[in-house]
């Protein structure tokens, strides 16, 4: 484990951001100048140079107090400013008309003392303090102050510097990561909000990036947590050394880093991030988003997260750019999600049936959108927009609330198990509070965790991080069932089924297309069903549209199916009206006909 002190000594950032350094140093310069001018008023006729030094200090302070100047001063420039503060105070003490005036002016050394350990790392801070003590002892004794009094002043300055440094370090720990010394989540989000305000004020550009360490779990498993910590520290150093001085960089937790690039956008911002990413010796994935006009920091981060997810889906170890927008559709979707009445968004339910009886064993929640101007829109059109813009979190929450409410209301007319299926996006699964939100939503609707099936697609399986898999594992431990949706159309699922916490498979409808008439298609369908049997995972065949298809999947031993042959998706209020009931009063659909009836 690498200590924060050793991290600090290895070149990590100082406590304060450049704008904070500029403003604080400016306040000290201005205050020191005012003190000097007031001291000069005791003997105006003999204090000409003292007036000049005081006014110069006030002017320098005024410049630094303007945030723009503070932000433009490079970090190394603050050593010059603090050293200049020591020099100006020393010169003022030497030109003071009397010893008493010199002693008053020398109190400005305390401002410099506060700077030394508050702004700089340990060794540079000690160098600044040594310069300060040497100058204070020399100039005060030159003005006739007894050596013991000069030494007393040095003791007071050292104590002030030490206490100020201790308090600054404690404040820094609240906003900095103790391992790497970078901003933590809280510190980064605060700094990003400041950058957003500045971008709004000046009309300047701003981009953010999220960076994830590839295969970090394997590092922890192979090298232990100490090895993982050492890797994170190395990555933090290599990223920081490759980024421009004005960039903000933080560790949000675990193996995720964040970068903010003021005055940078589009391909240029992506190029900066790619240069930094490729300069790290361990593989990283990154997503970059340029902030849109009036876009909150949280939304920009969501789009960067969507781009990061895309980079992982494309194979990891690369940088992906977030799509700025998909035109008015993204804005319309945001307005619909903010509308208390749903803005045309609604949830419909499609039965999952048991074969061959057709009895309803569960309901899958599907989202639909009746756009106020464009009419009914396909989910294939607006769900990707939600993914790209980070609105999938709000859309998923809307679907869950409606689905849980509707299925709870229908439960008394369904089978002895109350099952509702909802789709889970990879973006949702990596949200820290997703599992809690799901469980709370079930409890609020009066449903048990065993009532829920979370459906994840093959792309989620391939792009999933350890955090997503941990979320699925936690929910399964509470009784939630996990299904792999659209199974079989990707290349990765077969190799990852052993690691994926899955309870059953939903075959993609492509397996059924043409299977009635094509022996080769039928063989593929039979093989896919055989995978489920071999792994002891129940299989649902999707896309059953005709009686012939229904009869085929029954003949191949499939126990569950879904499709328009049994029922189209229905609003909750029409489920009881349009679906038949069996002799026990339970919901059912049409049974699969015997071959002679087909």
């Amino acid at each position: 484990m690498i200590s924060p002190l050793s991290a600090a000594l290895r070149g990590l950032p100082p406590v304060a951001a450049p704008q904070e350094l500029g403003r604080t140093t400016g306040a000290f310069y201005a205050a020191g100048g005012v003190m000097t001018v007031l001291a000069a008023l005791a003997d105006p006729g003999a204090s000409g140079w003292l007036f000049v030094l005081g006014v110069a200090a006030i002017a320098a302070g005024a410049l630094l107090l303007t945030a723009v100047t503070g932000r433009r001063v490079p970090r190394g420039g603050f050593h010059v400013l603090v050293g200049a503060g020591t020099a100006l105070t020393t010169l003022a003490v030497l030109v003071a008309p009397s010893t008493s005036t010199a002693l008053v002016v020398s109190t400005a050394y305390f401002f410099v003392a506060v700077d030394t350990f508050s702004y700089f790392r340990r060794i540079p801070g000690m160098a600044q303090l040594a310069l300060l003590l040497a100058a204070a002892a020399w100039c005060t004794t030159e003005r006739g102050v007894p050596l013991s009094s000069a030494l007393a002043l040095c003791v007071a300055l050292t104590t002030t510097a030490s206490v100020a440094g201790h308090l600054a370090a404690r404040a820094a720990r609240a906003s900095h990561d103790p391992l790497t010394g970078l901003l933590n989540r809280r510190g980064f989000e605060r700094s990003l909000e400041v950058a957003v305000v500045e971008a709004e004020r000046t009309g300047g550009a701003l981009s953010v990036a999220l960076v994830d360490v590839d295969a970090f779990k394997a590092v922890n498993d192979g090298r232990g947590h100490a090895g993982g910590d050492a890797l994170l520290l190395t990555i933090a150093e290599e990223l920081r050394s490759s980024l421009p001085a004005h960039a903000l960089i933080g560790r949000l937790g675990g193996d995720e880093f964040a970068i903010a690039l003021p005055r940078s956008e589009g391909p240029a911002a992506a190029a900066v991030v790619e240069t930094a990413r490729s300069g790290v010796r361990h593989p990283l994935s990154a997503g970059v988003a340029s902030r849109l006009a009036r876009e909150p920091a949280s939304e920009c981060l969501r789009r960067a997260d969507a781009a990061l997810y895309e980079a992982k889906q494309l194979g990891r170890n690369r940088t992906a750019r977030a799509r700025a927008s998909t035109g008015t559709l993204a804005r319309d979707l945001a307005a619909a999600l903010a509308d208390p009445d749903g803005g045309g968004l609604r949830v419909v339910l499609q039965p999952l049936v048991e074969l061959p009886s057709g009895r309803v064993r569960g309901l899958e929640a599907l989202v639909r959108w009746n756009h106020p101007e464009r009419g009914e829109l396909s989910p294939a059109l607006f769900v990707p927009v939600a993914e790209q813009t980070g609105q999938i979190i709000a859309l998923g929450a809307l679907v869950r609330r409606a689905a849980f409410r509707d299925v709870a209301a229908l439960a008394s007319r369904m089978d002895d198990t109350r099952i509702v299926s909802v789709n889970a996006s990879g973006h949702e699964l990596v949200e820290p509070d997703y599992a809690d939100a799901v469980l709370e939503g079930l409890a609020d609707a009066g449903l048990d965790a065993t009532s829920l099936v979370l459906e994840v697609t093959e792309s989620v399986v391939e792009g999933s991080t350890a955090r997503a898999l941990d979320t699925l594992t936690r929910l399964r431990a509470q009784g939630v069932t996990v299904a792999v949706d659209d199974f079989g159309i990707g290349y990765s699922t077969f190799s990852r089924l052993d690691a994926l916490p899955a309870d059953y498979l939903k075959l993609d409808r492509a397996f059924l297309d043409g299977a009635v008439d094509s022996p080769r298609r039928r063989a593929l369908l039979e093989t896919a069903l055989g995978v489920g049997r071999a792994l002891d995972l129940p299989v649902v065949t999707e896309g059953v549209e005709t009686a012939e298809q229904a009869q085929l999947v029954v003949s191949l031993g499939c126990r569950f199916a879904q499709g328009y042959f049994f029922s189209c998706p229905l609003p909750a209020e029409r489920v009881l009206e349009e679906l038949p009931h069996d002799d026990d009063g339970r919901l059912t659909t049409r049974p699969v006909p015997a071959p002679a009836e087909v």
Side-chain angles (χ1 to χ4, degrees), residues 150-190:
L151 292 176
L153 174 62
C154 289
V155 170
L157 291 172
T158 302
T159 303
T160 299
S162 300
V163 171
H166 174 70
L167 293 176
R170 289 188 61 182
R173 284 194 289 271
S175 59
H176 284 69
D177 173 45
L179 173 65
T180 63
L182 302 178
L183 293 167
N184 58 20
R185 180 180 291 275
R186 179 182 179 187
F188 182 82
E189 288 178 350
R190 285 184 173 180

Side-chain angles (χ1 to χ4, degrees), residues 65-146:
L65 279 171
T66 60
V68 172
T69 303
R71 292 173 70 90
R72 289 178 178 172
V73 176
R75 289 194 181 274
F78 287 100
H79 278 290
V80 175
L81 289 172
V82 173
T86 298
L88 282 173
T89 304
T90 301
L91 187 58
V93 170
L94 293 174
V95 301
S98 65
T99 300
S100 60
T101 301
L103 286 173
V104 171
V105 172
S106 71
T107 59
Y109 280 128
F110 285 93
F111 294 145
V112 184
V114 171
D115 285 350
T116 54
F117 284 158
S118 298
Y119 288 4
F120 307 121
R121 306 179 195 97
R122 186 177 182 184
I123 294 176
M126 291 178 66
Q128 287 281 2
L129 181 61
L131 175 64
L132 170 66
L133 296 177
W138 172 71
C139 72
T140 51
T141 53
E142 282 291 308
R143 293 308 310 269
V145 175

Side-chain angles (χ1 to χ4, degrees), residues 575-591:
V575 169
L576 294 178
E577 297 175 3
E578 300 195 15
L579 294 184
H581 301 77
D582 62 15
D583 295 338
D584 297 324
R586 303 294 183 178
L587 285 178
T588 186
T589 63
R590 68 173 72 179

Side-chain angles (χ1 to χ4, degrees), residues 162-537:
S162 300
V163 171
H166 174 70
L167 293 176
R170 289 188 61 182
R173 284 194 289 271
S175 59
H176 284 69
D177 173 45
L179 173 65
T180 63
L182 302 178
L183 293 167
N184 58 20
R185 180 180 291 275
R186 179 182 179 187
F188 182 82
E189 288 178 350
R190 285 184 173 180
S191 298
L192 182 59
E193 290 291 348
V194 172
V196 167
V197 171
E198 183 70 12
E200 284 291 322
R201 186 182 70 82
T202 63
L206 175 65
S207 294
V208 297
L210 292 178
V211 180
D212 202 66
V213 182
D214 293 336
F216 184 67
K217 186 177 184 298
V219 175
N220 268 339
D221 291 344
R223 305 184 201 170
H225 289 290
D229 288 348
L231 175 62
L232 291 173
L233 182 56
T234 299
I235 290 172
E237 292 175 336
E238 291 176 345
L239 282 175
R240 181 171 172 268
S241 66
S242 301
L243 290 167
H246 65 272
L248 296 170
I249 178 170
R251 180 188 172 212
L252 302 188
D255 60 344
E256 188 175 31
F257 296 85
I259 299 167
L261 297 171
R263 306 188 295 278
S264 183
E265 63 182 349
V272 170
V273 174
E274 173 60 17
T275 298
R277 188 201 64 79
S278 59
V280 175
R281 285 167 287 181
H282 187 88
L284 305 176
S285 297
V288 187
S290 296
R291 180 177 173 271
L292 307 176
R294 297 181 298 280
E295 183 179 34
S298 59
E299 289 302 316
C300 192
L301 281 170
R302 286 189 190 279
R303 291 194 298 109
D305 185 58
L308 172 62
Y309 184 71
E310 181 179 348
K312 287 181 172 294
Q313 284 188 299
L314 293 173
R316 299 180 173 85
N317 194 28
R318 67 193 64 216
T319 299
R321 281 181 60 197
R323 303 178 191 184
S325 178
T326 51
T328 58
L329 192 59
R331 291 192 292 271
D332 291 348
L333 181 58
L337 290 168
D339 187 340
D341 296 325
L345 290 166
R346 69 189 190 284
V347 171
V348 293
L349 304 170
Q350 185 173 38
L352 181 152
V353 304
E354 185 177 24
L355 301 176
S357 67
R359 174 175 287 185
V360 176
R361 299 308 301 264
L363 295 167
E364 181 181 0
L366 302 169
V367 65
R368 298 291 185 262
W369 188 15
N370 187 11
H371 191 279
E373 297 177 0
R374 301 169 64 176
E376 199 71 29
L377 295 181
S378 167
L381 181 61
F382 66 85
V383 170
V385 172
E387 294 268 4
Q388 296 157 13
T389 59
Q391 297 177 91
I392 193 65
I393 307 300
L395 183 61
L398 180 148
V399 171
R400 289 197 308 275
R401 283 194 302 270
F404 295 170
R405 178 196 64 225
D406 292 343
V407 170
L410 294 169
S412 62
R413 304 300 299 273
M414 292 176 64
D415 210 336
D416 54 355
T417 55
R418 300 178 292 176
I419 303 298
V420 55
S421 298
V422 297
N423 290 281
S425 161
H427 301 295
E428 294 177 281
L429 292 175
V430 298
E431 286 287 305
D433 59 350
Y434 178 74
D436 290 334
V438 168
L439 295 173
E440 289 172 9
L442 287 167
D444 290 344
L447 296 174
D448 296 329
T450 54
S451 301
L452 176 62
V453 176
L454 276 184
E455 298 190 10
V456 295
T457 63
E458 290 203 76
S459 61
V460 171
V461 176
E462 174 58 17
S464 59
T465 64
R467 188 187 305 171
L469 295 178
D470 288 345
T471 298
L472 291 175
T473 301
R474 179 185 170 193
L475 287 170
R476 285 183 82 223
Q478 298 296 317
V480 174
T481 301
V482 175
V484 179
D485 195 16
D486 298 336
F487 177 77
I489 59 172
Y491 65 88
S492 63
T493 309
F494 287 97
S495 64
R496 300 198 65 182
L497 276 177
D498 60 334
L500 181 71
D503 298 287
Y504 71 87
L505 310 176
K506 297 187 72 174
L507 291 188
D508 186 78
R509 64 184 61 244
F511 279 100
L512 199 52
D513 290 342
V516 172
D517 302 317
S518 169
R520 293 174 64 87
R521 287 278 185 175
R522 177 186 174 120
L524 287 173
L525 175 60
E526 192 170 7
T527 300
L529 291 170
V531 170
R533 284 192 292 270
L535 296 173
D536 197 25
L537 293 175

